[in-house]
Every structure is written in structure tokens, then in C-alpha cells.
Amino acid sequence: MLKHAHSGIAYLVIIFLIIVVINAFMGKSSKKQFTDKDRKLGLFALIFSHIQLLLGLILYFVSPMVQSFGVAMKDSTLRLYALEHPLINIIAIVLITIGWSKHKKAEGDAKKFKTFAIFYTLGLVLILSRIPWKVWIPSLFA
């Protein structure tokens, strides 16, 4: 059940991050006013990414895929689950969280959009880089 929740919420994280990133770049380029809607989009992306992190940490400690760490270093699939996926995604969520904190302190709409654009884009790229695509879309790798 946890694995399915972790996978399902991942879709929400990615969707909200994409929306926030596009919105931030459009807002910055069109010199739009940073509204409550923009703030809420960033907040939803932040909340879903933190829920995803909590589910991932629980899975990390109960999953048999990451129990034998020494063996995982010799197998690329196990290494992805044991080291690369959790580490890179934690870094991504830290960047998203920094972006959220910095946007609150930023003065001016352009700076708020720029902060979201930078930090949420970096987080999104890192998350996309460590998704186990063979599991998500096996038909692409068949």
C-alpha cells in the first residue's frame, strides 16, 4: 500500500512542480503580479513533495530492496533504490523548501517568481532524473 501511495503522490508532485515552474517563468517574463494563487501553487507543490519524502523514508526503512546496502552498490537497479533515488530526491526537496522560504523573504513580484523558477526547476529536474522509469513506464524499455 505504501509503495502505491508513494507512486501515486509522485504524479501529484511532478504535476504541481511543472505547473509552478511554468507559472513562475510566465509570471516573470510577463511581469505579472505575484498573487495568492501563485503562492498556493508553490505551497501545494511543497506539501506534496514533503508527503512524498515522508512516504519514501518509511519505504526506505521497510523495503527489502534497500536492506543489503553492500550488495546494492554492485547492481545498478538496487543502487538506484538504495542510494541514488533517495539521496537526489532529498536534495531536490531541500531545494524546493529553500525556494519556498526564499520567496517569502523576496521583495517584489519578479523576485518571487524568479525564486520559484530557479529552485522549483532544480528540484523538478533532480526528481525527474532519479525516477525509476523502467518501473513507471516499462513499455518504453521492453
Side-chain angles (χ1 to χ4, degrees):
M1 185 171 103
L2 272 175
K3 186 177 175 186
H4 291 302
H6 185 65
S7 292
I9 290 180
Y11 288 106
L12 292 173
V13 170
I14 291 169
I15 288 167
F16 272 99
L17 285 174
I18 290 170
I19 291 169
V20 170
V21 166
I22 291 170
N23 185 58
F25 279 106
M26 287 174 43
K28 175 132 177 56
S29 65
S30 65
K31 297 180 170 99
K32 208 174 83 159
Q33 181 181 5
F34 192 88
T35 65
D36 196 44
K37 176 197 73 114
D38 303 312
R39 185 188 65 77
K40 285 180 182 174
L41 285 172
L43 180 60
F44 283 127
L46 177 78
I47 290 169
F48 284 123
S49 66
H50 281 121
I51 292 169
Q52 182 71 347
L53 173 63
L54 290 174
L55 291 174
L57 288 173
I58 293 167
L59 272 174
Y60 186 82
F61 290 108
V62 299
S63 173
M65 296 276 297
V66 295
Q67 295 296 325
S68 52
F69 201 73
V71 175
M73 293 302 110
K74 297 175 186 159
D75 181 287
S76 64
T77 302
L78 291 177
R79 186 176 55 245
L80 174 69
Y81 287 108
L83 178 69
E84 297 167 3
H85 180 76
L87 179 65
I88 298 300
N89 285 324
I90 288 169
I91 293 168
I93 293 169
V94 166
L95 288 169
I96 292 165
T97 305
I98 290 170
W100 175 258
S101 295
K102 284 186 163 289
H103 108 276
K104 292 191 297 185
K105 297 172 187 167
E107 294 187 24
D109 299 329
K111 286 190 179 187
K112 290 177 188 261
F113 281 124
K114 182 179 178 182
T115 302
F116 271 5
I118 292 169
F119 287 95
Y120 280 60
T121 299
L122 289 172
L124 176 62
V125 168
L126 288 176
I127 288 170
L128 290 175
S129 77
R130 292 298 110 202
I131 288 176
W133 292 107
K134 289 180 183 178
V135 174
W136 267 32
I137 311 171
S139 60
L140 288 177
F141 301 93

